[in-house]
Amino acid sequence: MNFQKGVLFVIHYPNGKLYQPSEPLSKPAKPVKKKELSFSNRGKTLEDEINETNTYYLNQQIAIIHKKPVPVQIVKVEYPSRSAAVIREAYFRTPSTTDYNGVWNGYYIDFEAKETESKTSFPLKNVHQHQVLHMKDVTNQKGIAFTIVKFSTLDRYFVVPFSVLHDAWRQMEKGGRKSIPLSIFETQTIEIRPGYNPRIDYLSAIKKLITNEE
């Protein structure tokens, strides 16, 4: 229903009683004070947050880091209309490696982003063997490989050096535990506090990793 500006209209309560405003209807409403939003609870995925961060890095000429395209082969497409196409069947051409790569300050950056709802550990089943092998190849070529892990329920973010992930992976292959406990994250990785711009400043953690290795 549309109401014309400046035209008064009658309002009734559900019981039929006429609504009598305490102030004239034409009086402008008082502005409502906006509530401050918590940066720790915006309902976004880790991928969204990293994409926002990468855009900030690019705009500020800090780094050039992008999400890798997924290698997909489309085999069946339908055209319900001339201006629309619907993909009905597609296949991954090759296993994907990691989620992101790029260049920062002369260093090659290559990393994976993972989320877990667990409060106590990160399941290694979230990582694939070909991804571990890829990150190992990157480090062998003096690149920087790591994983960003978000504990969604705890709203905590960690940059995990490849060495930590690799050690846990080898222990699993030997019959050890199939997850990385939170205590390892708290003692052997670098925790990131979410902010505004950049949202997830993971490069600050990478600076610490490089400094520790020198």
Side-chain angles (χ1 to χ4, degrees), residues 119 151 180:
K119 297 180 180 179
F151 284 79
I180 304 176

Side-chain angles (χ1 to χ4, degrees), residues 29-88:
K30 294 181 179 180
V32 179
K33 185 178 180 180
K34 294 183 179 179
K35 295 181 179 180
E36 293 295 330
L37 296 177
S38 171
F39 292 124
S40 64
N41 185 22
R42 299 195 299 175
K44 294 188 176 181
T45 66
L46 177 59
E47 180 178 314
D48 292 332
E49 295 173 305
I50 292 177
N51 290 341
E52 286 182 6
T53 301
N54 289 343
T55 298
Y56 173 84
Y57 287 155
L58 182 62
N59 291 339
Q60 297 298 317
Q61 293 295 292
I62 297 172
I64 303 174
I65 301 171
H66 296 290
K67 182 172 174 60
K68 298 178 184 177
V70 179
V72 174
Q73 180 177 358
I74 300 172
V75 296
K76 185 177 181 181
V77 182
E78 293 182 0
Y79 298 89
S81 65
R82 291 184 178 180
S83 61
V86 179
I87 298 174
R88 295 299 185 188

